[in-house]
Amino acid sequence: DTEVTQTPKHLVMGMTNKKSLKCEQHMGHRAMYWYKQKAKKPPELMFVYSYEKLSINESVPSRFSPECPNSSLLNLHLHALQPEDSALYLCASSRTETYEQYFGPGTRLTVT
Amino acid sequence: AQSVTQLDSQVPVFEEAPVELRCNYSSSVSVYLFWYVQYPNQGLQLLLKYLSGSTLVESINGFEAEFNKSQTSFHLRKPSVHISDTAEYFCAAFQGAQKLVFGQGTRLTINP
């Protein structure tokens, strides 16, 4: 089973809202990732968690706040977003950082 | 120079025709190479990977890719495409221990 699940599938939020994206995997993977993908572009790495510790932050604005409560779960907390933050947010996981990554279906975020 | 270069942004082909999607990588990335496919409104699916060993790797749905060290290439091929192969295809490689970098993507369009 190589499934990564993400909720919600779609999210519309105003610029003053606070919301969270959730990601879950049950493959025993110890590395988890958040990517942002704009239309017709490749995914851009945002954060990497390795063994539940943040190991990479790609200079992401503080209005995005990641959290890894345990080895199976990854959250992305959103606050005071801008319309340009509208995108597909993808979660991925891998056995460790040097193995192939498996992606979830994504959350389509629209900021109004 | 770009780390992973996909030479064609769009490739239109007729159904049942052969196709080749080109990918070149630079010396700044490792030779752990991947092809991902993204169907409309979905996440990325791992199509195939090269980590070591045989330079020809195959996927379960008829695609294959060949690692060519001298030409720094990892082109994706399929001898006969189907309408259902219409998708965006991304070539990717590891840059450093943790970061997966993607090419700009190739949109494969199959015409009946």
Side-chain angles (χ1 to χ4, degrees):
Chain A
D1 183 13
T2 55
E3 188 177 27
V4 176
T5 60
Q6 289 187 246
T7 56
K9 202 167 184 176
H10 301 276
L11 179 61
V12 179
M13 60 186 290
M15 291 190 284
T16 58
N17 291 158
K18 283 186 183 181
K19 296 285 184 184
S20 297
L21 309 185
K22 295 186 185 304
C23 173
E24 191 166 5
Q25 57 88 14
H26 293 289
M27 296 178 277
H29 289 175
R30 303 314 302 269
M32 296 186 77
Y33 311 80
W34 281 115
Y35 288 86
K36 174 183 177 180
Q37 186 180 27
K38 301 287 269 185
K40 300 187 190 302
K41 294 290 187 184
E44 298 173 25
L45 183 65
M46 299 174 72
F47 302 104
V48 179
Y49 272 84
S50 179
Y51 291 87
E52 298 156 55
K53 290 191 183 341
L54 183 65
S55 60
I56 291 182
N57 176 340
E58 289 284 289
S59 303
V60 179
S62 60
R63 57 185 185 268
F64 295 91
S65 175
E67 178 197 19
C68 190
N70 60 56
S71 60
S72 300
L73 291 174
L74 187 65
N75 298 322
L76 186 62
H77 303 298
L78 315 172
H79 173 56
L81 295 193
Q82 304 297 309
E84 59 264 29
D85 296 321
S86 298
L88 181 68
Y89 287 84
L90 295 163
C91 174
S93 73
S94 61
R95 192 188 303 182
T96 63
E97 303 99 299
T98 53
Y99 283 81
E100 64 273 16
Q101 295 178 20
Y102 293 92
F103 284 79
T107 293
R108 177 77 58 190
L109 174 67
T110 303
V111 182
T112 61
Chain B
Q2 203 166 358
S3 305
V4 178
T5 304
Q6 291 183 244
L7 297 161
D8 306 293
S9 60
Q10 295 186 64
V11 173
V13 295
F14 288 106
E15 194 172 15
E16 297 184 7
V19 70
E20 178 180 81
L21 307 184
R22 297 180 292 170
C23 173
N24 286 89
Y25 62 92
S26 73
S27 57
S28 67
V29 299
S30 74
V31 290
Y32 289 176
L33 299 162
F34 308 90
W35 276 100
Y36 284 88
V37 58
Q38 187 173 32
Y39 299 102
N41 300 311
Q42 294 188 28
L44 276 70
Q45 296 178 29
L46 180 64
L47 193 57
L48 43 76
K49 62 186 179 186
Y50 173 78
L51 303 178
S52 64
S54 173
T55 57
L56 185 66
V57 290
E58 298 177 353
S59 73
I60 57 172
N61 57 356
F63 282 95
E64 64 179 31
E66 185 163 18
F67 169 65
N68 188 318
K69 188 175 181 179
S70 63
Q71 297 186 10
T72 61
S73 68
F74 189 55
H75 301 334
L76 182 69
R77 301 185 182 96
K78 189 171 185 179
S80 176
V81 295
H82 189 266
I83 290 279
S84 59
D85 293 323
T86 295
E88 189 85 20
Y89 291 79
F90 292 100
C91 184
F94 277 118
Q95 185 172 54
Q98 297 172 303
K99 188 173 178 179
L100 193 63
V101 291
F102 292 86
Q104 289 300 303
T106 298
R107 177 163 298 277
L108 177 62
T109 305
I110 313 299
N111 299 305

